[in-house]
Amino acid sequence: MLAVIVGLTALAAHQSLIRSREQARITTQNLSMLLEQYLIAIIDKADVSLQSVVLDAERQIRGRGFHAQALERLAEEHKAIAPELNSLRIADTAGTVWLGRGAPANATLNIADRDYFIRLRDDPAADLVVSGPLFGRSSSKWVIVLARRLNHPDGTLAGIAHASIPLERFERLFAGMQLGSFGAISMRTEGLNMVVSHPPLQTRQGVIGSNTASAEVRTAMDAQPLAGTYVATSLLDGIERINAYRKLSGYPFYITVGLATDDYLSGWRAEVQRLSVLAGLAIVLTLVSAWLVCRYWMRQSVAGAALVRESERRRMLLQSASDGVYVLDMQGRVLEVSDALCKMLGYTRSELLNMPLSRWEARYAAADIELMLSRLAAGAPRPVFESALQRCDGEVVEVELTAARIERDGGTELYVSARDITERKLAEQAMREAKEVTDAAVKARSAFVANMSHEIRTPLHVIIGLGQLLRRDVTLPGPRRKLDRLCDSSEHLLSLINDFLDLSKIEARRFVIDSADFRLGTVVDRVMHLFRDRAREKRLTLIAEIAPALHDLSLQGDPLRLTQVLINLCSNAIKFTDQGGVRLGIVCVAEDAMSCTLRFSVTDTGCGVALVDQAHMFEPFTQLDASTTRKYGGTGLGLTISQHLVSCMGGEIKVDSQPGVGCTCSFKVVLPRATATVPSTVVAPAMALTDSFQGSRVLLVEDHPQSQEMLLEMLEILGCSGDVASDGIEAIECVQARSYDLILMDMQMPRMDGLDATRAIRALPGGCEVPIIALTANAFIEDRQRCLAAGMNSHLGKPVTPAMLATVLGQWLPDFSVVSDTAPDCDNALSRAVLQIPGLKAGSSWLSSTEQIVAYCAQLARFISSSEQEITHLCARLQAGERDAAQALAHGLKGIAGLLGAQRVAALAAAMEDGLRNGAGESVIEHLANECRTELGGLNEALHLLPTP
């Protein structure tokens, strides 16, 4: 009997010990889980306030800059929402705090040395940064800091927004927990540095920020980094505890809850002592032993009541959670809910209890919910996912769900936290809308570049065309040289415009590499032909080193862009070389049946480039010598565009250079072989224009009067008979009235543009047979593709020269040859009288012959007559409030006056245009208009006094 009593006593003591330890483990786990959710809620609420300030600040940046009062109001609003915040501030890029609650009023606060500021400043991709414990410089409190980066629209740093939470907020939370006489709660960083502890520790090792973690906690966290339990003796107070720790989801902190062994085993030890006495006296005191056993079971009842109280405490913590929290059984029925969830869904607590989850889950079907519950029951990792919950009134709430499996009372339950993410979804929608606005701005910019291309190239087309026509009439060396300089400068201006348009297309990501069959030798011959005279003028040797087999090689790619790259490289080489020579080399470094890998190189013996400058050669608008006395000109765009072109072809331009020795620019590209052999094209010198198109009838569709006159003269030189239509409607009427051998069609015209006119002509009987050539100042490839899609046969880019026009006509009309032109100079009484007219500066091209002077005077008279009417229309538009229409009239008057050399009229028209653009008053514009009328009257009087030719 004694042995049985002792055995039963020992067994009871052992089972009680196991239950006590297991109960302590479960208690610490549940408490750590609840504290984790509560701490996450505090930090999340602070982050929501911080993100709201960031979004509002970045929206102000994209507008007209920071609005300090608006941001201050926003910070005060979030103070009411998140009273746990100690401060909510914005610092500039230098770290100086300038705005926000908590910012010092009469002192400068700088955070540039803080780790969170340095990390956000140096890492553009950084999101939320959470600091360890920091001692506040203005608040003199220990805090943790949440910080986010403010960005300009281009991604560069605009500032740092940061919020701080005082550690005393966490200390108050921990102090409300009942953990026995020697229980402890601590919050540590990921590196296990102390943040907050309860009860507060006064020893030196326990100060905030110190690392006092024991070996047991490090071993446990290495094995289970997210959550776990361990038993260890604290290094701070020497007390042994059973501890449960959890990693805060999404934040760099651990929460640890510990119950002292002396606390949770105190009842067990007293019981063991009593059982020991009972065992010693069992033989003589059986009744006493029986009484002690009864007392033991009574104490077990008390412990059960304590467990009930502990469960109630857990329920109170559940109700205080800011997120909607609910507990499910593994069949998906609700066991417990928080007040926040009841408020979120509009149900009462009694209505939600025992309700199946599928009743208010709006996104997942019942089968999907059952599958998720089974996976969690099998031990799947804790999921975090988005879903939608349906309120009792039918409204749907977007939420982020966090689910965790817990064990309680011998069963498995599911702990779920639902966070309302409606504001985040709205922010994401705002970001999507902002992106759409940005995309629209890019499209608008592309349209603006296309329009500017047309507006710039149209007057340049007139200038270059007239210059080419005048070359036929000017023969004297002096005027001829001036005319050549005019033409060269116009061509240079055209190349600059092309460079700027190419750069705009690159920045708008609208640059397209074409693919066509071409012969490599044709590209090389074109480049060598272009620079042969320039090299000869500088007494430089210019050679091309290419094997005959490569010269005749037919490839597939973009010959125009490849030629553009080689032209840019050779142009730079000749420009920076004063003696020696330039060599263009092409070698095949690899080939197979489908493609060839070619290495292109341009080597010169010029001034060379220092190593420190080579990294800047391909930056746009960069000149290695940017001084006002630099020897070499240029925009600094050629190499930038060339590098992008080569990159689009799959290569990269590399530079090998030494100062004073020379420079080699090279690149490698892989080009497919052509599907068929491309015949050779001979680059021939220019010949004299002939009238080989005699008898051909051409319809010119163009709305610009000066362009009409110039192109008609070119057609007459080529022997063509031409009719003029000022818009698409007139063009259709002309085609219906008679037949034409060819139509030159402008793109942009009033009433009906060239695309619609082409489609209408193609629909007429016989309209599909006549060649239609687009006259376009638009530089984008897609614009030219639109011409072809509308039914045009080809395109002719403005500015147009006689040689260009003859080349296109020769393609679509038979028997054509191209040449240069000359004309005699003229010096007589009429030319001298024209040169002496005040306010008029006629170019030498207008004075090349008596016939040209007479034609010029007639054109000037027509200009005076039409301009007086234009000024009258301009004033009428101004009085009607149509300032844009008046500005367009002033712009047209300025262009034609400048082209004819009427400088004073051009200056007055420019002043009217600027005034209309900048909001000048009507009296100012009318005064300028009267001045313009007076100047036109003076020109008209001077024309009537000219001598008879």
Side-chain angles (χ1 to χ4, degrees), residues 278-298:
L278 177 61
L281 301 177
I283 297 175
V284 293
L285 299 173
T286 303
L287 293 177
V288 174
S289 297
W291 177 79
L292 289 175
V293 171
C294 291
R295 186 178 179 185
Y296 163 75
W297 290 113
M298 290 177 63

Side-chain angles (χ1 to χ4, degrees), residues 242-299:
I242 182 169
N243 301 278
Y245 64 88
R246 298 190 69 84
K247 171 72 169 58
L248 269 63
S249 177
Y251 298 107
F253 299 110
Y254 280 96
I255 182 69
T256 303
V257 178
L259 292 177
T261 302
D262 289 342
D263 286 337
Y264 74 82
L265 290 183
S266 59
W268 177 81
R269 286 175 177 152
E271 181 182 349
V272 168
Q273 290 177 359
R274 285 188 292 272
L275 289 175
S276 298
V277 173
L278 177 61
L281 301 177
I283 297 175
V284 293
L285 299 173
T286 303
L287 293 177
V288 174
S289 297
W291 177 79
L292 289 175
V293 171
C294 291
R295 186 178 179 185
Y296 163 75
W297 290 113
M298 290 177 63
R299 288 185 175 271

Side-chain angles (χ1 to χ4, degrees), residues 793-873:
N793 298 86
S794 183
H795 67 273
L796 182 60
K798 296 180 181 179
V800 177
T801 65
M804 292 168 57
L805 181 59
T807 300
V808 173
L809 292 179
Q811 183 181 357
W812 299 99
L813 298 177
D815 303 327
F816 176 66
S817 57
V818 186
V819 214
S820 59
D821 43 281
T822 61
D825 198 11
C826 181
D827 183 14
N828 53 30
L830 179 59
S831 66
R832 289 191 293 273
V834 169
L835 290 173
Q836 294 177 3
I837 295 177
L840 185 67
K841 186 176 181 181
S844 59
S845 59
W846 296 113
L847 309 176
S848 60
S849 66
T850 301
E851 293 78 6
Q852 187 69 32
I853 297 173
V854 173
Y856 171 65
C857 292
Q859 192 170 18
L860 188 60
R862 291 196 302 272
F863 163 71
I864 293 170
S865 176
S866 63
S867 296
E868 289 175 345
Q869 296 176 6
E870 291 295 312
I871 292 174
T872 301
H873 292 157

Side-chain angles (χ1 to χ4, degrees), residues 130-456:
V130 183
S131 75
L134 299 173
F135 191 73
R137 292 172 177 167
S138 59
S139 64
S140 300
K141 297 179 180 180
W142 283 97
V143 298
I144 61 171
V145 175
L146 284 71
R148 286 185 177 272
R149 177 184 173 104
L150 294 176
N151 287 323
H152 289 291
D154 60 357
T156 58
L157 180 67
I160 301 297
H162 58 284
S164 62
I165 304 174
L167 298 189
E168 61 189 24
R169 175 70 181 86
F170 303 120
E171 293 173 354
R172 290 195 300 270
L173 172 64
F174 296 166
M177 305 298 295
Q178 299 297 323
L179 300 175
S181 302
F182 301 103
I185 303 175
S186 65
M187 179 178 175
R188 296 177 181 268
T189 65
E190 284 183 318
L192 301 183
N193 294 326
M194 183 66 73
V195 178
V196 183
S197 63
H198 178 78
L201 299 170
Q202 305 300 325
T203 61
R204 184 179 62 83
Q205 295 85 356
V207 297
I208 295 173
S210 64
N211 192 321
T212 57
S214 64
E216 289 84 357
V217 67
R218 296 181 186 277
T219 300
M221 289 183 178
D222 287 341
Q224 294 179 301
L226 297 181
T229 59
Y230 64 94
V231 178
T233 301
S234 173
L235 300 177
L236 301 176
D237 54 15
I239 297 175
E240 183 187 74
R241 297 182 179 90
I242 182 169
N243 301 278
Y245 64 88
R246 298 190 69 84
K247 171 72 169 58
L248 269 63
S249 177
Y251 298 107
F253 299 110
Y254 280 96
I255 182 69
T256 303
V257 178
L259 292 177
T261 302
D262 289 342
D263 286 337
Y264 74 82
L265 290 183
S266 59
W268 177 81
R269 286 175 177 152
E271 181 182 349
V272 168
Q273 290 177 359
R274 285 188 292 272
L275 289 175
S276 298
V277 173
L278 177 61
L281 301 177
I283 297 175
V284 293
L285 299 173
T286 303
L287 293 177
V288 174
S289 297
W291 177 79
L292 289 175
V293 171
C294 291
R295 186 178 179 185
Y296 163 75
W297 290 113
M298 290 177 63
R299 288 185 175 271
Q300 290 298 312
S301 298
V302 172
L307 286 176
V308 172
R309 291 193 299 271
E310 179 63 24
S311 176
E312 181 63 21
R313 278 198 300 270
R314 288 200 304 270
R315 194 189 68 80
M316 292 178 64
L317 285 173
L318 184 70
Q319 299 308 316
S320 64
S322 59
D323 288 343
V325 178
Y326 53 96
V327 180
L328 303 173
D329 62 19
M330 299 317 294
Q331 284 71 46
R333 290 191 171 274
V334 178
L335 300 178
E336 188 58 76
V337 293
S338 67
D339 293 341
L341 184 71
C342 296
K343 182 179 180 181
M344 183 186 298
L345 298 181
Y347 289 102
T348 63
R349 182 173 181 274
S350 59
E351 290 174 331
L352 284 175
L353 291 178
N354 292 319
M355 182 183 291
L357 175 62
S358 57
R359 176 84 173 273
W360 37 273
E361 171 57 52
R363 182 165 298 174
Y364 295 99
D368 297 328
I369 296 174
E370 184 178 351
L371 179 61
M372 285 190 286
L373 290 173
S374 62
R375 288 177 178 175
L376 288 169
R382 182 173 69 174
V384 178
F385 57 96
E386 294 183 4
S387 184
L389 305 182
Q390 186 174 19
R391 290 173 45 85
C392 64
D393 56 7
E395 182 182 349
V396 175
V397 181
E398 295 286 339
V399 294
E400 182 181 78
L401 298 178
T402 303
R405 185 170 62 95
I406 59 175
E407 296 177 2
R408 185 171 65 174
D409 298 334
T412 300
E413 298 173 353
L414 192 63
Y415 178 94
V416 184
S417 173
R419 180 173 303 160
D420 189 339
I421 57 173
T422 303
E423 291 186 3
R424 191 178 81 187
K425 289 295 184 181
L426 292 175
E428 292 173 353
Q429 177 64 25
M431 293 179 66
R432 285 193 295 270
E433 293 174 354
K435 183 179 183 301
E436 292 175 358
V437 171
T438 302
D439 293 341
V442 171
K443 293 181 180 177
R445 176 183 176 183
S446 299
F448 172 76
V449 171
N451 290 333
M452 285 304 298
S453 168
H454 183 272
E455 294 299 326
I456 294 172

